[in-house]
Amino acid sequence: VQLVESGGGSVQVGGSLRLSCVASGDTMGRYCMGWFRQIPDKEREGVAAIWTGGGTTYYANSVKGRFTISRDIAKSTMYLQINSLMPEDTAMYYCAVSRRTCQPSIPRADFGFWGQGTQVTVS
C-alpha cells in the first residue's frame, strides 16, 4: 500500500484545514486507516482512525469535537477535517494503514504502512 498526504499548510489560530490521503496498491479488503501527528522529540500520536469495513471512527480525546475523519471509497481517499486549529496542533501529520481491526487507542504499532507526512503549522 502506498499513501500520499496533502493539504497541510500554515494557518492562523481558529482556522481550518482538510488533509487528504490517497491510497494505492493493495487496497482491497477491509482495514483500518488512521491519522497520526508528531512534533520533534515526541512520539507519534494517533489522532483519528476509521474502519473501512463500515466507517466506524475513533478519536483521541485531545481532538474530539474538532477533528473529523472520513473516507471516499471510490477515490481511495481518506480525509481529516481539522477545525478551530490551535498552536498545539502544529505537527507533521501522517496517514497510515493497518491490516488489523481499528482500536480505540489507535496504537502506532498496529500500522504498517505510512505516508511521507504533511506539515501543519498554526500561529
Side-chain angles (χ1 to χ4, degrees):
V1 178
Q2 293 78 49
L3 303 168
V4 178
E5 305 96 333
S6 63
S10 296
V11 296
Q12 293 185 336
V13 172
S16 298
L17 279 176
R18 188 176 79 157
L19 308 183
S20 299
C21 172
V22 179
S24 60
D26 183 12
T27 58
M28 298 298 291
R30 296 176 290 181
Y31 45 90
C32 184
M33 296 189 76
W35 285 99
F36 290 74
R37 65 184 181 186
Q38 187 172 24
I39 60 175
D41 299 325
K42 296 290 186 181
E43 289 197 5
R44 198 167 292 188
E45 170 195 25
V47 295
I50 187 165
W51 175 243
T52 63
T56 304
T57 58
Y58 305 83
Y59 295 95
N61 288 334
S62 58
V63 306
K64 282 181 181 177
R66 297 191 301 119
F67 288 25
T68 303
I69 190 172
S70 61
R71 88 265 193 243
D72 184 327
I73 296 174
K75 295 182 179 179
S76 296
T77 301
M78 176 177 66
Y79 303 98
L80 186 67
Q81 178 70 38
I82 310 176
N83 297 326
S84 303
L85 277 156
M86 303 185 295
E88 48 264 48
D89 294 319
T90 295
M92 184 72 79
Y93 283 73
Y94 299 88
C95 70
V97 165
S98 168
R99 293 296 188 188
R100 299 181 179 184
T101 304
C102 286
Q103 302 296 324
S105 60
I106 318 175
R108 177 184 177 176
D110 279 4
F111 291 78
F113 303 93
W114 294 87
Q116 294 292 94
T118 185
Q119 177 69 36
V120 172
T121 303
V122 186
S123 60

